[in-house]
Amino acid sequence: MKTRHKFTTYLLIVILPLIILSFIYWRHLDKSIQKERQEQAEWAGSVYRDYIDQVIGETKKKLELLSLSSSVLYMDDNRTEHLMKWIMDTDPRYAGVYWINMDGVSLSGTNKEFYHYYLIEQADINRAIITQRAVVAKGKALNNSGINHFSIFAPILDHEKRAHGFLLAQIRLDHMEKILNILIPDQTLKLKTSDNIRVLGMNETISRHSEWVDVPLSEVDWTLSVKKPDTLNTNNMNVFLMFVFFTFFFTHMIYTAVEELNVRREEKKQKVLIERQKIDFVGTLAASTAHEIKNPLTGIKGLIQLLVEKHPEEQDQFYYAVIMKEIDRINSIVSEFLILGKPMARDLSIYDVRSIIAELRPIIESEARYFNMEVTWHIVKEPIWVQCTKDQFKQIILNTAKNGFEAMKDGEKLSIRIYNEKDHAKIDIIDIGQGLNEKEIGKVFDPFYTSKKEGTGLGLFVCKRIIESFNGTIQLASKPLIGTTVTISLPLVTKHP
């Protein structure tokens, strides 16, 4: 049963929290990773897009500017070829530059192998004539000496804004790919037209689980797709494993602390049970023995009183006085033993604490005079109603006051305060005697513990049992060489006669 309880506790404190917290953290980590992957891919896409748009935009502007001067050079082959060669030599991005007629056929250019080739499709020609601006050709890319490229061309307009030819530049994809790799190395991307024709690809080792971020270009109706980084890497896994380890460590510490508390609680229960059994056994034994002692003791005391009357001599009276004193002491011890054997739950009545104290006051002051000491009283004027047994309550106050007298020296004062505190009646009995250390304070309410030479060790123990039967508490605070304060607390009764 105990093993099963331990397993259940371990499951609830260690295993389940570890699984739940690990799952929650993994979800949080996964969301953070996905967000970081998305942001990284978007950032890479924005860098690539800006570069590609810059290349296309700059080429468009350059071709539109050159097309203005080209209208003057139209049909002058030498000067036209010189212009196109200058364009080619000044920008390494170009694979070739060509003069195109209205049918899309090259008339001249930097590469004679492509003379009289159809380099522009009719749909692209119509688009350029309508817009009268440079456009990117949507036709299939040609291959110039093994170099992939795509084409941008601008219409050559006369003074009446009529096209009579085109100036075309081929952009080198290998050069563009090289620059893109320099900007962000080892990034996977692909560039496609609106018709899903592949224009450019980099580091394309693509798996089925690859995720992409699409970034549209501004200068042309193409889509740039950038692959998100891998989901897991060593750092992320190390962070997760470290979290699992520390979670297990802390939950295991909590489990150990809980088990320690359970062990202490069990030990405390066992101690209380053993103490109760011990008290019950001692109480039963003491009560039965006390009855057997008390009966003959009464007879002895009666006979001694007769002898006191019969032998008035001074020396005999001295001996009889000693015998009577010892008989009274035995009788007191036997009475305390009898209390141990009595059940504490008795018929309780409602009393004003002040009236009980008023009855005790002459006795306590007489005791103070006997010890050559004084008593100061601090009693509230309002009634303080509590539920108790009058005789037993008197016994508690007398025992506690007597302990205070015995702890002090001649001429010192004992203070007794009676007052209300919230919903409890409080009685403080304060002496300025030798006081007790912490070790002694922890034992004062244990049965048979005493610091007196002739004490039984039952006085405060019995007081505590009686007070607890009244649903109250008794506490002791003390400091060596300063004094001791005994505080008795009883619940106030709201409904009283």
Side-chain angles (χ1 to χ4, degrees), residues 256-296:
T256 305
V258 169
E259 279 299 302
E260 181 69 20
L261 288 174
N262 287 335
V263 169
R264 290 185 180 180
R265 191 182 294 115
E266 194 64 31
E267 287 178 352
K268 191 174 181 180
K269 284 182 181 178
Q270 290 294 326
K271 185 178 179 181
V272 170
L273 181 62
I274 292 170
E275 196 68 34
R276 190 175 297 163
Q277 290 174 346
K278 176 183 173 183
I279 292 168
D280 290 343
F281 173 74
V282 171
T284 304
L285 179 63
S288 60
T289 305
H291 278 296
E292 297 300 323
I293 296 172
K294 202 170 182 69
N295 291 332

Side-chain angles (χ1 to χ4, degrees), residues 50-61:
D50 292 344
Y51 172 71
I52 296 171
D53 280 340
Q54 179 185 354
V55 170
I56 295 174
E58 288 178 354
T59 303
K60 283 182 176 181
K61 289 177 182 178

Side-chain angles (χ1 to χ4, degrees), residues 49 62 72 77 84 134 137 161 164 190 200 217 236 257 290 303 325 328 393 418 428 430 468:
R49 177 197 61 204
K62 183 178 288 188
V72 180
D77 292 342
M84 289 185 290
K161 300 293 183 181
H164 53 81
K190 53 188 178 182
L200 177 66
L217 300 183
N236 293 331
L303 291 172
K325 184 179 178 182
D328 288 339
F393 188 77
I418 293 94
D428 290 343
I430 307 165
E468 287 175 350

Side-chain angles (χ1 to χ4, degrees), residues 16 42 98 120 252:
L16 285 180
E42 288 175 354
Y98 300 92
I120 312 175
H252 206 277

